[in-house]
C-alpha cells in the first residue's frame, strides 16, 4: 500500500482540483480578471463585446500584428491552410528547443558528438528536445514550401503584395540555410558528408570558386588570386575541408546569425501583410 | 503451395516492371505526362471521389511496397521520413487548391460569385482568428511531440574524414540539385540554377502582369503561369528530390525502388559532346585542336537557343505575352524560362543521345 500512496495523493488532489475548477472555475476567473494585477497587465475587461474584443487585439504587442477584424473568407482553413502560421509556430518551437540544446552542446570537434549522445542518455527531456528540434526543422522546410505554393496558387503575390513575396522568398532561402547549417552540428557521418557534398558546390562558383569558370583569369603576375585557400568554399568552411573551424562557423551562423535575420524579416513580413491590405482576397 | 509460388513470381515480375518504369527517363516522362493530364483534366481529377480513389490507390501501393525489404530500407531511414510526409502533403495540398480552382472556374462560367466572395464580411480577430491559431499551435506541438517520441532522429557514427559513405548525399531538400550534378557541371547545377530559382521567384510578381486571379483560387484565368510553376515545383523540385533520395544508390548509380543497393554495379560512361558528334561522326575527322573551331557547333546550338529562339518565340508562341509585358520583362522572363527548360532538355538528351555537353570549353571550366 505504501508505494501507492503518492499515486493516491496525486489522484485525490487532481480529483479535488477538477471538482473545484468545474464548480467555481468561472467565478475564480472572474475574480482574477477583476483584480488589480490582471488589469495592470491587460488594460481591458473580459473580451466579451465588440469593444473589449477589439481592445484585446489593439492593446497587446503580440496580437496587434493582426488587424482588429479580418475578412471572413480570408481565414478559412481551406484558403490559407494555416501554412504560414504553422511555419512561424515551428520557428518558435525551433527557437525554444534550440536554446535549450545550447545549454548542453559545445561546438568543438572533441565534444559535439559526445554531447548529443550524453544529452540522449542522461537527460531524457533533452533527448526529446533534440528529436523535436530535428523533426521540427524538417517540418518547417515542408510547411514553408506549402505556404509558398498556397500564396502562388491564390495569386497573392500580385500587386500590391509583390514586395512581401520577395521577403517571403528570402525567408524561404534562409530557412533552408538554417536547416543546412544545423545539419552539421551533430558531427556524425551523416552531418559531415552532407555538408561536404553541399559545400563542394561553393568551389564551383563563377569567379569566386577555384574550380569555377572565369576564376582562372583572376591572377596577378601569374599568381592565382582564387585558389583552394581563398575561394568561396574557404570562406564558408573557414578551411579547405569540413573541420573544427567549419563546425564553429556553422554553429554561430545557425544559432545567432540566421535566426536574428529571420526574426527581423518575419517582423517585416507580418507587418507588410497588414500594410498591403491583410490576407488576400478577390479585389 | 503452387498458387503461393505463382503469386510470388507475379509479385517479382511486377517489381521488375516497376523497377524498369522508375529508371530516370521513364520515371521523369511519366511524371511529366501525369502532371499534364492532371492540369488538362483538373476538373475531373479533383472531384472528391476521383481524388480519393487516386490517393487511396497510391497509399495502398506505397504500403504494399513497404513490404519489400529494399524499399523499406530506404523509406525507413529516419531522415527520409520527411520525404514521405512531403509527398503526401504536396499531393493533398495540390488537390485542395485545384479543387477550389475548379469550383471557382465553374462558378465564374455560370456568373456566380467566387468561394472567396463577400469581401465585406468581416469577423473580429478575437476570438475567430486567435482561437484558430491557438488550436493550430496546440495540434502542431502535439504532432511534433508524438513524432519525436515515436521516431528517433538519426545519429550515425562520429564524423570521420577518412571514411566517406557511398553514396554521400546532401540534406534531402537539396537532393534535387544534387541530381542535377549528373547532367550539369557544379557551377551550373550548384550555383547558377539555384541562383536562377531564387531570382526567378523574386521576379515572378514583376513579370506576371496578368491582373486576374489575384486573391482567389483559379486555373482557367492564368493557365500558363500556373502550369510553368507546377512544372518547376512538382517535377523539377519534388520529383527530383524523390529521385535523388529513393533511386540513387552507391556511386550515384540508379537503382529501382525494389533493387538491392549493390556497391559493385558498373555503369557505362559513353557520353559524347556535340563537338564529337559533329566532327567525328558527321565530318568523319578528328577534333580540331583550336577550341574555338572545335566548339563552333556548340556555340551555334547554344547561341541559337539563348539568343535567336527568344526572338522567334516573341513573334509566334509567346506573342501575346510579349505584347502584354513589354521588352525588358519579356527578355528576363524568357531567359528564366529557357534556363528552366534547359534542365529537362539536357536530361532527355543525356538519356536518349548520351549527350555530355552541348558546349564544352573545358579549358575554362565553361561547359553547358
Amino acid at each position: 500500500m505504501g508505494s501507492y500512496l503518492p499515486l493516491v495523493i496525486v489522484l485525490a488532489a487532481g480529483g479535488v482540483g477538477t471538482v473545484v475548477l468545474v464548480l467555481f472555475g468561472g467565478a475564480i476567473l472572474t475574480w482574477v480578471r477583476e483584480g488589480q494585477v490582471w488589469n495592470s497587465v491587460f488594460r481591458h475587461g473580459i473580451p466579451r463585446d465588440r469593444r473589449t474584443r477589439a481592445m484585446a487585439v489593439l492593446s497587446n504587442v503580440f496580437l496587434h500584428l493582426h488587424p482588429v477584424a479580418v475578412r471572413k473568407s480570408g481565414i478559412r482553413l481551406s484558403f490559407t491552410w494555416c501554412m504560414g502560421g504553422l511555419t512561424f509556430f515551428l520557428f518558435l518551437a525551433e527557437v525554444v528547443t534550440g536554446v535549450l540544446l545550447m545549454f548542453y552542446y559545445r561546438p568543438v570537434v572533441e565534444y559535439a558528438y559526445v554531447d548529443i549522445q550524453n544529452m540522449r542518455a542522461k537527460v531524457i527531456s533533452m533527448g526529446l528536445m533534440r528529436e523535436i528540434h530535428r523533426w521540427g526543422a524538417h517540418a518547417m522546410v515542408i510547411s514553408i514550401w506549402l505556404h509558398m505554393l498556397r500564396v502562388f496558387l491564390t495569386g497573392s503575390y500580385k500587386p500590391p503584395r509583390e514586395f512581401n513575396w520577395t521577403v517571403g522568398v528570402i525567408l524561404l532561402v534562409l530557412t533552408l540555410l538554417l536547416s543546412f547549417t544545423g545539419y552539421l552540428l551533430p558531427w556524425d557521418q551523416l552531418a559531415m558528408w552532407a555538408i561536404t557534398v553541399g559545400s563542394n558546390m561553393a568551389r564551383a562558383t563563377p569567379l569566386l570558386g577555384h574550380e569555377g569558370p572565369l576564376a582562372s583569369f583572376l591572377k596577378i603576375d601569374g599568381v592565382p588570386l582564387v585558389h583552394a585557400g581563398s575561394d568561396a568554399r574557404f570562406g564558408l568552411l573557414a578551411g579547405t575541408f569540413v573541420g573544427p573551424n567549419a563546425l564553429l562557423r556553422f554553429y554561430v551562423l545557425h544559432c545567432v546569425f540566421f535566426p536574428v535575420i529571420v526574426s527581423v524579416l518575419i517582423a517585416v513580413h507580418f507587418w507588410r501583410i497588414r500594410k498591403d491590405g491583410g490576407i488576400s482576397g478577390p479585389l | 503451395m503452387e498458387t503461393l509460388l505463382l503469386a510470388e513470381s507475379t509479385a517479382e515480375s511486377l517489381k521488375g516492371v516497376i523497377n524498369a518504369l522508375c529508371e530516370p527517363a521513364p520515371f521523369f516522362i511519366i511524371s511529366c505526362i501525369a502532371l499534364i493530364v492532371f492540369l488538362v483534366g483538373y476538373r475531373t481529377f479533383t472531384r472528391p471521389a476521383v481524388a480519393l480513389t487516386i490517393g487511396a490507390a497510391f497509399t495502398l501501393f506505397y504500403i504494399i511496397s513497404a513490404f519489400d525489404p529494399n524499399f523499406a530500407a530506404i523509406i525507413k531511414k529516419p531522415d527520409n521520413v520527411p520525404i514521405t510526409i512531403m509527398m503526401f502533403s504536396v499531393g493533398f495540398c495540390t488537390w485542395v487548391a485545384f479543387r477550389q480552382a475548379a469550383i471557382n472556374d465553374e462558378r465564374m462560367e455560370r456568373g456566380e460569385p467566387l468561394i472567396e466572395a463577400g469581401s465585406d464580411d468581416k469577423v473580429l480577430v478575437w476570438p475567430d482568428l486567435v482561437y484558430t491559431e491557438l488550436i493550430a499551435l496546440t495540434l502542431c506541438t502535439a504532432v511534433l511531440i508524438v513524432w519525436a517520441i515515436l521516431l528517433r532522429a538519426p545519429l550515425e557514427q562520429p564524423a570521420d574524414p577518412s571514411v566517406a559513405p557511398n553514396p554521400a548525399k546532401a540534406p534531402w531538400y537539396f537532393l534535387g540539385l544534387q541530381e542535377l550534378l549528373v547532367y550539369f557541371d557544379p557551377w551550373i547545377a550548384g550555383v547558377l540554377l539555384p541562383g536562377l530559382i531564387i531570382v526567378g521567384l523574386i521576379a515572378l510578381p514583376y513579370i506576371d502582369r496578368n491582373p486576374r486571379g489575384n486573391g482567389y483560387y483559379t486555373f482557367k484565368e492564368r493557365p500558363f503561369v500556373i502550369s510553368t510553376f507546377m512544372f518547376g515545383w512538382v517535377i523539377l523540385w519534388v520529383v527530383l528530390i524523390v529521385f535523388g533520395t529513393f533511386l540513387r544508390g552507391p556511386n550515384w548509380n540508379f537503382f529501382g525502388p525494389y533493387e538491392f543497393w549493390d556497391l559493385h554495379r558498373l555503369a557505362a560512361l559513353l557520353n559524347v559532346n556535340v563537338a564529337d558528334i559533329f566532327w567525328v561522326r558527321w565530318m568523319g575527322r578528328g577534333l580540331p585542336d583550336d577550341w574555338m573551331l572545335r566548339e563552333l557547333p556548340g556555340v551555334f546550338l547554344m547561341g541559337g537557343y539563348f539568343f535567336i529562339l527568344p526572338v522567334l518565340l516573341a513573334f509566334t508562341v509567346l506573342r501575346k505575352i510579349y505584347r502584354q509585358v513589354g521588352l525588358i520583362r519579356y527578355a528576363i522572363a524568357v531567359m528564366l524560362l529557357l534556363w528552366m527548360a534547359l534542365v529537362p532538355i539536357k536530361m532527355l538528351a543525356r538519356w536518349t543521345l548520351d549527350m555530355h555537353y552541348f558546349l564544352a570549353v573545358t579549358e575554362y571550366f565553361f561547359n553547358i
Side-chain angles (χ1 to χ4, degrees):
Chain A
M1 180 63 203
S3 59
Y4 289 107
L5 195 61
L7 186 68
V8 171
I9 291 171
V10 168
L11 282 179
V16 171
T18 311
V19 170
V20 168
L21 268 184
V22 167
L23 291 181
F24 309 109
I28 294 171
L29 200 63
T30 312
W31 178 72
V32 169
R33 278 173 157 177
E34 281 167 359
Q36 187 191 354
V37 177
W38 179 277
N39 281 297
S40 70
V41 181
F42 303 102
R43 294 178 171 277
H44 54 79
I46 302 165
R48 277 190 186 136
D49 51 26
R50 250 190 108 76
R51 195 189 70 85
T52 44
R53 283 175 170 174
M55 283 297 289
V57 174
L58 276 175
S59 65
N60 185 306
V61 71
F62 304 107
L63 290 181
H64 98 284
L65 280 169
H66 290 309
V68 169
V70 284
R71 295 184 44 250
K72 200 172 174 181
S73 73
I75 58 167
R76 280 181 314 123
L77 207 55
S78 56
F79 185 75
T80 63
W81 313 345
C82 201
M83 273 303 158
L86 275 182
T87 310
F88 179 58
F89 295 152
L90 286 166
F91 178 72
L92 293 182
E94 292 301 289
V95 170
V96 172
T97 52
V99 167
L100 291 172
L101 289 173
M102 284 170 78
F103 288 133
Y104 293 86
Y105 174 87
R106 286 162 288 182
V108 184
V109 172
E110 289 80 2
Y111 295 126
Y113 182 79
V114 185
D115 280 348
I116 291 189
Q117 273 187 324
N118 284 344
M119 202 186 280
R120 275 180 154 178
K122 294 177 185 158
V123 199
I124 298 169
S125 59
M126 285 315 295
L128 193 65
M129 289 303 142
R130 196 245 156 178
E131 325 287 352
I132 293 177
H133 194 74
R134 184 154 188 128
W135 298 136
H138 289 323
M140 191 176 157
V141 168
I142 297 172
S143 67
I144 200 168
W145 287 352
L146 293 175
H147 174 58
M148 183 186 73
L149 182 69
R150 191 288 285 181
V151 171
F152 172 80
L153 286 175
T154 52
S156 306
Y157 59 86
K158 297 189 175 205
R161 298 185 179 80
E162 309 103 306
F163 178 69
N164 216 14
W165 167 268
T166 306
V167 176
V169 173
I170 296 168
L171 278 170
L172 171 76
V173 175
L174 287 173
T175 303
L176 292 178
L177 287 175
L178 264 175
S179 192
F180 183 68
T181 47
Y183 214 83
L184 182 65
L185 304 187
W187 201 248
D188 61 347
Q189 282 287 74
L190 190 65
M192 167 179 249
W193 291 99
I195 303 306
T196 304
V197 171
S199 60
N200 266 344
M201 295 301 103
R203 65 177 169 199
T205 315
L207 280 175
L208 299 176
H210 76 281
E211 284 179 6
L214 306 177
S216 53
F217 289 115
L218 295 178
K219 50 178 85 172
I220 297 173
D221 291 339
V223 181
L225 279 176
V226 180
H227 52 80
S230 74
D231 67 349
R233 183 169 183 269
F234 189 89
L236 185 66
L237 297 180
T240 52
F241 62 97
V242 179
N245 292 347
L247 181 59
L248 184 61
R249 188 157 290 199
F250 274 49
Y251 176 78
V252 175
L253 288 175
H254 183 74
C255 301
V256 184
F257 187 74
F258 288 135
V260 168
I261 297 181
V262 165
S263 306
V264 172
L265 285 181
I266 286 177
V268 175
H269 200 57
F270 287 178
W271 187 71
R272 281 303 289 246
I273 296 175
R274 286 200 60 180
K275 293 293 154 183
D276 295 340
I279 300 170
S280 66
L283 298 172
Chain B
M1 187 65 198
E2 263 183 26
T3 45
L4 209 92
L5 277 176
L6 187 71
E8 203 165 287
S9 70
T10 317
E12 283 309 310
S13 54
L14 196 65
K15 279 183 189 177
V17 172
I18 294 171
N19 278 337
L21 286 179
C22 286
E23 272 193 52
F27 188 85
F28 189 81
I29 292 165
I30 291 171
S31 311
C32 290
I33 293 173
L35 179 68
I36 292 167
V37 169
F38 173 77
L39 289 179
V40 171
Y42 71 106
R43 295 187 194 193
T44 313
F45 289 113
T46 52
R47 285 205 190 114
V50 183
L52 194 68
T53 312
I54 297 172
F58 181 73
T59 312
L60 195 68
F61 171 71
Y62 207 79
I63 292 171
I64 292 173
S65 294
F67 285 102
D68 179 85
N70 293 311
F71 188 69
I74 303 171
I75 58 168
K76 279 184 185 162
K77 214 166 165 276
D79 255 18
N80 288 350
V81 171
I83 302 173
T84 302
I85 295 173
M86 176 192 67
M87 286 197 310
F88 282 95
S89 52
V90 165
F92 179 75
C93 287
T94 307
W95 170 70
V96 171
F98 277 83
R99 174 71 191 149
Q100 296 180 79
I103 294 173
N104 269 344
D105 290 346
E106 276 167 15
R107 286 186 178 190
M108 276 186 278
E109 278 160 17
R110 292 197 299 263
E112 293 169 10
L114 300 165
I115 306 173
E116 291 88 353
S119 43
D120 296 332
D121 299 347
K122 290 215 167 185
V123 289
L124 285 175
V125 163
W126 187 295
D128 289 84
L129 181 55
V130 179
Y131 277 39
T132 313
E133 285 173 341
L134 183 68
I135 293 166
L137 176 65
T138 315
L139 280 179
C140 171
T141 314
V143 167
L144 266 186
I145 292 173
V146 172
W147 187 1
I149 290 172
L150 291 182
L151 195 68
R152 298 197 80 183
L155 188 66
E156 297 186 351
Q157 294 296 307
D160 183 350
S162 60
V163 182
N166 188 4
K169 291 189 177 183
W172 63 270
Y173 36 82
F174 288 148
L175 281 184
L177 297 174
Q178 198 177 345
E179 175 63 19
L180 292 183
L181 279 173
V182 177
Y183 314 97
F184 294 99
D185 275 4
W187 75 274
I188 296 182
V191 184
L192 184 69
L193 289 175
L196 286 177
I197 295 173
I198 298 167
V199 170
L201 284 174
I202 290 177
L204 175 67
Y206 304 97
I207 294 170
D208 176 12
R209 303 289 287 168
N210 180 0
R212 286 178 301 173
N214 186 345
Y216 53 92
Y217 288 104
T218 173
F219 178 63
K220 204 186 161 198
E221 292 196 327
R222 36 198 285 256
F224 180 72
V225 176
I226 290 184
S227 303
T228 313
F229 185 90
M230 290 307 281
F231 177 75
W233 154 246
V234 176
I235 305 288
L236 295 183
W237 193 255
V238 175
V239 166
L240 285 191
I241 285 176
V242 171
F243 205 95
T245 325
F246 288 0
L247 305 174
R248 287 295 185 179
N251 307 320
W252 208 253
N253 280 333
F254 160 80
F255 291 88
Y258 312 118
E259 260 183 290
F260 175 67
W261 280 16
D262 182 5
L263 206 58
H264 303 291
R265 163 182 287 208
L266 292 176
L269 288 174
L270 301 163
N271 297 334
V272 289
N273 295 338
V274 162
D276 298 321
I277 294 176
F278 182 79
W279 296 110
V280 182
R281 241 181 250 175
W282 292 357
M283 295 289 127
R285 51 163 288 185
L287 288 175
D289 290 332
D290 185 10
W291 69 264
M292 287 196 206
L293 184 60
R294 186 191 72 213
E295 293 307 325
L296 216 51
V299 170
F300 270 111
L301 200 62
M302 285 292 101
Y305 181 76
F306 279 113
F307 298 108
I308 297 173
L309 193 59
V311 182
L312 292 179
L313 288 175
F315 284 110
T316 54
V317 189
L318 300 180
R319 193 180 173 141
K320 224 176 95 189
I321 290 171
Y322 176 71
R323 290 233 182 107
Q324 195 181 20
V325 301
L327 179 64
I328 294 174
R329 284 191 171 90
Y330 174 78
I332 296 170
V334 86
M335 274 302 145
L336 291 166
L337 284 175
L338 285 176
W339 269 107
M340 185 172 160
L342 191 65
V343 174
I345 289 173
K346 183 76 190 278
M347 292 166 98
L348 288 169
R350 172 65 57 82
W351 297 324
T352 54
L353 306 169
D354 293 318
M355 180 60 63
H356 195 203
Y357 292 125
F358 293 123
L359 176 67
V361 190
T362 331
E363 288 82 351
Y364 296 104
F365 297 113
F366 195 89
N367 313 307
I368 296 172

